[in-house]
Amino acid sequence: RKEVEQDPGPFNVPEGATVAFNCTYSNSASQSFFWYRQDCRKEPKLLMSVYSSGNEDGRFTAQLNRASQYISLLIRDSKLSDSATYLCVVTPWTGKLIFGQGTTLQVKP
Amino acid sequence: GAVVSQHPSWVICKSGTSVKIECRSLDFQATTMFWYRQFPKQSLMLMATSNEGSKATYEQGVEKDKFLINHASLTLSTLTVTSAHPEDSSFYICSARERGQGKNYGYTFGSGTRLTVV
């Protein structure tokens, strides 16, 4: 079983749609959780950290459920510029980043 | 914000030669730097963890004699791919976190190096 699992997609949605990505992780001792965004042939960029209390940044909302070892990302009012691969990332106590496979989002006009 | 400068951005080399990739933290001290490799349509896979002033820690299955890592200062880490072969062609990328930042701060990535071995 992979340490971090994501549905690779692709998710094809129209502009303005709301889309949700899910991620599960296997190590219950994981300490930190992130969503990164990666554009084609570019480096990943931090989108947001994820907390148990849930956190929101504009159109993006992230949620962590430690009991279920589940992380989610909700994007509201999708824009064309949101098209990218979204990486679920988990950090154990070692500080290493463990990446999921990524979920590809394609927002269409 | 924190910036990690990675060079070169891309390199094409002949099979059997060595290639050095540099990552510099420009405005912060990086005690630890991580090196990743990404094949097309796959996720980033951690190769090794580089600690300033000590030997790197390699992930299982990564040959330490082939992928030489040096982290001689708090702002510079290098990865040398020795005797490169076509199967080493990949996207190599480093990441670091500013010393003292909390665990939820996130890491800064270099811009990556696309290596093609012919």
Side-chain angles (χ1 to χ4, degrees), chain B residues 1-17:
Chain B
V3 175
V4 174
S5 175
Q6 184 171 346
H7 294 281
S9 299
W10 59 270
V11 58
I12 301 173
C13 70
K14 289 185 177 180
S15 189
T17 61

Side-chain angles (χ1 to χ4, degrees), chain B residues 69-118:
Chain B
I69 290 174
N70 185 282
H71 195 156
S73 76
L74 284 171
T75 59
L76 175 64
S77 178
T78 62
L79 167 68
T80 301
V81 183
T82 62
S83 187
H85 291 284
E87 58 264 31
D88 297 324
S89 299
S90 187
F91 186 57
Y92 292 86
I93 192 164
C94 61
S95 76
R97 186 168 65 186
E98 187 172 354
R99 188 168 65 172
Q101 287 290 353
K103 63 180 182 179
N104 289 321
Y105 186 74
Y107 290 71
T108 300
F109 283 81
S111 54
T113 297
R114 195 159 299 279
L115 170 64
T116 302
V117 185
V118 298

